[in-house]
Amino acid sequence: PLADLAERLGWQVTVIDHRKAWLNSQRFPRVGKQILSHPRALDLRTLRPDTRTAAVVMTHHFQNDLELLRHLLPSAAAYVGIVGSRARTERMRLQLPQSQRLHGPVGLHIGADGPHEIALSIVAEIQSAFSGIGCENA
């Protein structure tokens, strides 16, 4: 739902996953760019995150998330967020340089319940960050 909503808003979305069965046009019908790669093998230099880039990380694996965040936080990406619980996010912050840049857990507090509402809360937080208004979860 997050990728779909972002695409509907006209954002250019890239989905990266190491599971070929999960990375397909049926699952992500509107996503223009899909990259099959394991987090440890991903070369972020080829993606070139810039000041118009928002990265939302969720690999379901703590060490993979940390590895991606270690590369994303010092990048030029304007927004770097992590999906997960507050406790998990705080554990990550303790291990990350530049953790003050990390948005997490991602999403504005709007009482979201379910994947579509959570996607809305994440997109709203990213839009808020890009508009310069800021957000309460940073």
Side-chain angles (χ1 to χ4, degrees), residues 64-131:
N64 288 341
D65 286 354
L66 273 177
E67 184 67 25
L68 288 171
L69 292 171
R70 283 188 180 114
H71 293 285
L72 285 166
L73 288 171
S75 78
Y79 177 98
V80 178
I82 184 74
V83 176
S85 70
R86 188 166 306 283
R88 183 175 188 274
T89 300
E90 290 309 314
R91 281 182 42 220
M92 287 187 175
R93 283 185 199 279
L94 294 174
Q95 298 181 47
L96 292 167
Q98 296 179 307
S99 66
Q100 73 281 0
R101 290 195 63 222
L102 180 62
H103 294 262
V106 292
L108 295 179
H109 296 293
I110 61 170
D113 185 30
H116 291 90
E117 291 177 4
I118 292 169
L120 175 62
S121 76
I122 294 169
V123 166
E125 180 176 84
I126 293 169
Q127 179 61 43
S128 177
F130 274 95
S131 70

Side-chain angles (χ1 to χ4, degrees), residues 48-69:
R48 290 176 266 154
D50 61 26
T51 57
R52 299 176 309 159
T53 300
V56 177
V57 175
M58 181 185 74
T59 68
H60 301 288
H61 187 271
F62 189 86
Q63 290 303 324
N64 288 341
D65 286 354
L66 273 177
E67 184 67 25
L68 288 171
L69 292 171

